[in-house]
Amino acid sequence: MAFPTHGKSERDILEELHEFREKDIPFSSGRILGSMCTKPLPIAEKAYMEFLETNLGDPEHFMGAWEMEEQLLEMIKDLLHAPLDAAGQIVSGGTEGNLLAILVAKSLTGKKEIVVPSHAHFSFNKIASIMNLKLRVVDTSDAHVISINSLRNILSDKTAAVVAVAGSTELGAIDPIEEIGELCYDEHVFLHVDAAFGGFIIPFLKEQGYDLPNFDFLVNGVSTVSVDAHKMGCSAIPLGIVTVRDRRWFEDISVDAPYVSRKKQSSILGTRSGGPVAAAYAVIKHLGREGYQEIASRCMETTFYMKQRLNEVGLDTVIEPVLNVIEVKVKNLKEVMKGLTAKGWHVNPVERLSSFRMVMMPHITKQIIDEFIPDLEEVCKEVGEI
Ligand SMILES: *Cc1c(COP(=O)(O)O)cnc(C)c1O
């Protein structure tokens, strides 16, 4: 399409946009079963629009947006039990959060290898390539979490950082971060916790008595934690936060920013919208811990319901769900995927585990599960799965 010569009316353009949008699958249709994102709370949209023109790279002009950003970071630090010296940085999501954390580790240690589990998010492949680091993959146990013994053996004087995951992308599993933290603390190794998914659900389940391990700054050896507000935070894309135990580490990676009002920047991005920050601020203030607790426990209830319904039709999961992630074992992954897609259901294939992933996000209800299961059963019977 050529760059337009003449402008069009607002009405025509909005109509065009609407046609594009009609081709999307909205979360509200209930058909997106595999995504880690969800429909943002209505207040997110209003907040986002209010700050549409703001630039967080230039806080002198946008003092209000800057203040709001600082307060959001304080709330996240509180959520993650960060010590007084800690600092946070807004990022676009889990990928950039991991990137910034590894950049900190690299610049602090000057070392060249990062140790990641096989279930680490693929963003670490990008990060290793950008920063010219070597990825060492540590073995996992039967529960699909890092094996401490294997970790102990793989650490070396080349290790810049260990990555542990709190809510793995495929399974929602949580690495034994207390044990890993102890090892990393003793060995003086930098430990980054990728809580992109788990960061906005694990704390709220723990508050309700769920038996889940500590994953944040309560664990002594943890150096950095990244969380995503655009996943279980129920806020708008793009919004993640990376937090470091010692604020001086951000100074280590900061560069002079001579032509904007903030004289030093430790962020990767320069110009940044205040919109998503406002959305996350608003959603967090609107829900509070109580609102998030309610969402978290509802998601776990639908998870247990889904699991029960799957078992009833003769299907099983790779692990017992730890969080609201369900990984369904299937022998004929391709055929099952094809059948489900034909029936309008969207789940995520995980070839590595011969299974497909579903995430019981807040937009998934029991009623949707009741509609899904008969279709899944039919598909599975057709391809001889059950
Ligand atoms: C989603 C996810 C990421 C990547 O986050 P983006 O927001 O997509 O950049 C990283 N790590 C984990 C564990 C994730 O679930």
Side-chain angles (χ1 to χ4, degrees):
M1 182 187 284
F3 195 92
T5 306
H6 307 293
K8 270 190 179 180
S9 75
E10 190 177 305
R11 221 189 87 212
D12 288 350
I13 293 162
L14 290 177
E15 218 163 85
E16 262 178 48
L17 291 183
H18 191 69
E19 278 170 34
F20 285 124
R21 185 67 184 128
E22 294 262 274
K23 294 177 188 164
D24 292 343
I25 307 157
F27 285 113
S28 56
S29 70
R31 294 275 156 160
I32 303 180
L33 296 175
S35 176
M36 287 191 151
C37 292
T38 190
K39 190 177 173 60
L41 251 55
I43 197 171
E45 181 177 339
K46 297 191 186 105
Y48 203 120
M49 292 313 293
E50 172 94 35
F51 282 82
L52 187 67
E53 69 173 28
T54 61
N55 174 13
L56 287 168
D58 201 0
E60 207 161 273
H61 296 152
F62 302 101
M63 288 287 285
W66 178 76
E67 205 178 308
M68 173 183 65
E69 177 186 36
E70 290 296 306
Q71 290 187 18
L72 173 61
L73 293 173
E74 288 303 312
M75 291 191 280
I76 299 301
K77 276 161 45 184
D78 183 42
L79 180 71
L80 299 175
H81 306 96
L84 276 177
D85 291 339
Q89 166 78 55
I90 303 285
V91 287
S92 54
T95 301
E96 195 191 339
N98 289 340
L99 177 72
L100 214 53
I102 298 304
L103 184 59
V104 166
K106 188 189 170 210
S107 84
L108 280 178
T109 63
K111 294 176 180 175
K112 290 277 180 180
E113 288 185 5
I114 48 177
V115 174
V116 300
S118 47
H119 54 264
H121 187 263
F122 57 79
S123 50
F124 289 100
N125 294 323
K126 303 180 189 175
I127 293 164
S129 144
I130 292 169
M131 289 191 223
N132 202 13
L133 297 169
K134 188 171 170 204
L135 283 184
R136 301 284 313 272
V137 179
V138 59
D139 286 341
T140 48
S141 68
D142 294 343
H144 295 271
V145 295
I146 290 177
S147 143
I148 294 287
N149 276 336
S150 307
L151 181 61
R152 192 176 286 117
N153 291 334
I154 209 171
L155 292 182
S156 78
D157 55 7
K158 297 193 187 115
T159 310
V162 168
V163 174
V165 187
S168 65
T169 318
E170 292 164 347
L171 293 165
I174 306 173
D175 284 319
I177 290 165
E178 289 175 31
E179 288 87 344
I180 296 169
E182 205 172 308
L183 177 62
C184 289
Y185 189 82
D186 289 346
E187 301 288 326
H188 304 285
V189 174
F190 190 101
L191 171 58
H192 171 57
V193 175
D194 180 358
F197 184 72
F200 270 90
I201 181 166
I202 298 170
F204 308 116
L205 291 175
K206 282 172 77 73
E207 284 165 13
Q208 295 177 89
Y210 277 77
D211 183 20
L212 297 172
N214 288 327
F215 72 100
D216 60 14
F217 292 101
L218 282 178
V219 179
N220 257 332
V222 169
S223 312
T224 49
V225 181
S226 61
V227 302
D228 267 3
H230 63 220
K231 290 181 177 168
M232 282 304 288
C234 304
S235 192
I237 299 168
L239 205 283
I241 302 105
V242 60
T243 312
V244 297
R245 187 178 279 280
D246 186 334
R247 61 178 61 247
R248 285 172 303 186
W249 298 350
F250 275 152
E251 287 159 26
D252 256 31
I253 59 161
S254 70
V255 298
D256 292 335
Y259 12 72
V260 288
S261 55
R262 187 179 283 181
K263 290 297 168 226
K264 288 218 170 247
Q265 283 188 1
S266 53
S267 57
I268 307 276
L269 304 183
T271 302
R272 291 185 294 123
S273 171
V277 179
Y281 178 96
V283 169
I284 290 170
K285 281 279 180 119
H286 189 60
L287 288 173
R289 285 184 191 269
E290 289 168 1
Y292 278 117
Q293 285 166 9
E294 204 185 301
I295 291 173
S297 64
R298 194 155 34 84
C299 289
M300 290 312 290
E301 270 166 40
T302 47
T303 302
F304 297 137
Y305 184 66
M306 177 66 103
K307 161 96 183 158
Q308 179 205 328
R309 296 294 311 267
L310 288 166
N311 289 350
E312 280 167 15
V313 301
L315 291 164
D316 208 357
T317 53
V318 176
I319 58 166
E320 273 307 303
V322 178
L323 298 176
N324 51 332
V325 180
I326 295 192
E327 192 74 41
V328 187
K329 279 192 271 189
V330 281
K331 293 181 283 291
N332 314 289
L333 180 58
K334 279 212 176 81
E335 289 81 356
V336 172
M337 287 300 301
K338 225 164 122 189
L340 285 178
T341 309
K343 290 189 182 294
W345 295 105
H346 301 270
V347 302
N348 294 29
V350 179
E351 267 163 48
R352 188 175 81 88
L353 301 169
S354 183
S355 57
F356 64 85
R357 180 189 79 178
M358 297 187 287
V359 191
M360 299 297 103
M361 294 299 288
H363 63 272
I364 308 295
T365 59
K366 284 188 178 174
Q367 190 192 333
I368 292 168
I369 296 171
D370 288 339
E371 288 167 27
F372 169 70
I373 290 290
D375 281 355
L376 175 66
E377 188 175 14
E378 202 180 306
V379 168
C380 285
K381 279 189 176 144
E382 265 167 32
V383 305
E385 186 69 39
I386 48 174

